[in-house]
Amino acid sequence: MKLAPKVAAIQDLSGYGRCSIMVAVPVLAAMGAQCCPMLTAYLSAHTACPQTEDSVFLDVTREMARTGRHWQALGLSFDAIFSGFLGSAAQIDVLLDFIRRFRTEKTLVLVDPVMGDGGRPYRTCTPDLCRQMGILAAGADLITPNCTEAALLLGEPYASLPTSEAGLFRWLERLSLEGKRSVVLTGVHREGQLGAACLDRSTGRTFFTLDREEPGQFPGTGDLFASVLLGRLLQGASLQDAAQQAVGFVRQSIRRTLDLKAPVIEGVQFEALLGLLTLPPDEA
Ligand code: PXL
């Protein structure tokens, strides 16, 4: 019998707010993968929440390096390394070292370059972190930036985000380092729909995966997207099928959240939909 694929998920744990590890663990488990979290920070709540003098942001950079060494001593190996929100620029060196130690020919390195949204960097994303994130992303097999993060990676103003198909595909090529890595660019609008623009380095193809646009924006949807995408890729799906499934699941989660009239700060109500992910993709 085949063991569940193992994912080293290098992201924060936010006690409140559906994001990062609190999304990756249930989604990957529902899709048959084992998630091994290496925390980058512990936060009392997602940074989109109002902060008070008691807000916790615990940086655990030192423990990350030790965790990597412990895992190596245990002889662990991973089918995927999945990085997301980082606590500081210094963590990039720890991550690069982790990737050097654990990458094999079969390892999928997915870097979600979490840096900002809506045209602006998050307040925790310093210029140094942005620069270093580019270095981390350069070594990935697959990156999943949103449009804000794509502009930051390319060093372009957000306002220059292309609207034409040819312009978007040119950005994809640049983000792929001319075909060296696959790219799924999220939050792309096309013909009244919303979804992703993708470049698959294994085929060289560029394409859109789109679905109906729901009228809502919630924190954590990028984390949900990347987790579903990775779960499907580990099941052997093509990048196109995996991206289509991730677009669809995020849309369904937003629809449910809107129907429930849940406050934006709660993030998306995906838990009751996890059963859809346990089905083979053509039945979901
Ligand atoms: O959804 C990305 C993300 C993850 N983790 C934390 C965040 C954010 C975005 O703001 O604040 C703590």
Side-chain angles (χ1 to χ4, degrees):
M1 243 196 312
K2 209 167 162 291
L3 294 181
K6 263 195 193 54
V7 178
I10 306 172
Q11 313 188 2
D12 68 285
L13 192 161
S14 290
Y16 174 74
R18 293 173 168 87
C19 66
S20 303
I21 286 295
M22 294 312 296
V23 170
V25 170
V27 165
L28 288 167
M31 300 178 87
Q34 179 193 3
C35 190
C36 305
M38 176 192 277
L39 295 190
T40 57
Y42 168 70
L43 288 81
S44 43
H46 190 285
T47 60
C49 295
Q51 304 295 306
T52 74
E53 59 183 15
D54 286 322
S55 305
V56 177
F57 190 124
L58 183 68
D59 183 310
V60 288
T61 309
R62 213 173 72 91
E63 286 70 23
M64 287 171 70
R66 292 179 61 194
T67 303
R69 291 198 296 273
H70 187 192
W71 286 357
Q72 197 169 26
L74 293 175
L76 300 187
S77 65
F78 297 100
D79 299 277
I81 298 171
F82 175 23
S83 78
F85 180 94
L86 302 181
S88 67
Q91 294 184 349
I92 306 263
D93 283 339
V94 179
L95 251 122
L96 290 170
D97 182 59
F98 184 89
I99 293 169
R100 259 193 306 274
R101 285 167 191 259
F102 285 96
R103 188 180 227 160
T104 68
E105 268 167 37
K106 291 182 303 187
T107 320
L108 174 69
V109 177
L110 193 175
V111 172
D112 187 8
V114 176
M115 291 189 283
D117 207 357
R120 278 198 300 271
Y122 296 131
R123 59 185 171 72
T124 52
C125 189
T126 60
D128 198 24
L129 179 55
C130 280
R131 230 183 347 268
Q132 297 276 90
M133 191 65 93
I135 296 173
L136 179 64
D141 297 304
L142 168 62
I143 60 170
T144 52
N146 60 29
C147 293
T148 304
E149 292 154 353
L152 288 168
L153 285 173
L154 294 177
E156 299 284 359
Y158 179 68
S160 67
L161 176 73
T163 50
S164 71
E165 178 170 320
L168 277 168
F169 286 172
R170 181 64 202 129
W171 266 37
L172 285 180
E173 275 157 24
R174 288 176 60 198
L175 287 164
S176 78
L177 304 177
E178 311 301 331
K180 282 204 198 59
R181 59 188 181 194
S182 296
V183 180
V184 176
L185 173 62
T186 62
V188 171
H189 291 90
R190 231 39 244 151
E191 295 155 8
Q193 294 191 300
L194 180 62
C198 312
L199 184 150
D200 184 346
R201 74 165 176 199
S202 68
T203 58
R205 281 188 56 237
T206 40
F207 51 87
F208 293 104
T209 49
L210 302 165
D211 201 341
R212 198 170 61 239
E213 178 167 8
E214 302 289 354
Q217 283 191 339
F218 296 88
T221 46
D223 303 329
L224 187 61
F225 181 93
S227 297
V228 176
L229 180 80
L230 178 59
R232 274 294 175 244
L233 289 173
L234 290 173
Q235 290 175 342
S238 67
L239 188 70
Q240 179 152 16
D241 288 348
Q244 193 67 60
Q245 174 105 30
V247 167
F249 190 75
V250 171
R251 186 194 67 73
Q252 285 168 300
S253 302
I254 293 176
R255 183 67 261 158
R256 181 177 162 77
T257 308
L258 293 170
D259 289 345
L260 290 169
K261 301 189 173 26
V264 168
I265 210 75
E266 291 277 346
V268 279
Q269 310 276 318
F270 67 90
E271 291 85 351
L273 300 177
L274 282 172
L276 296 175
L277 297 174
T278 65
L279 299 169
D282 48 0
E283 290 175 33

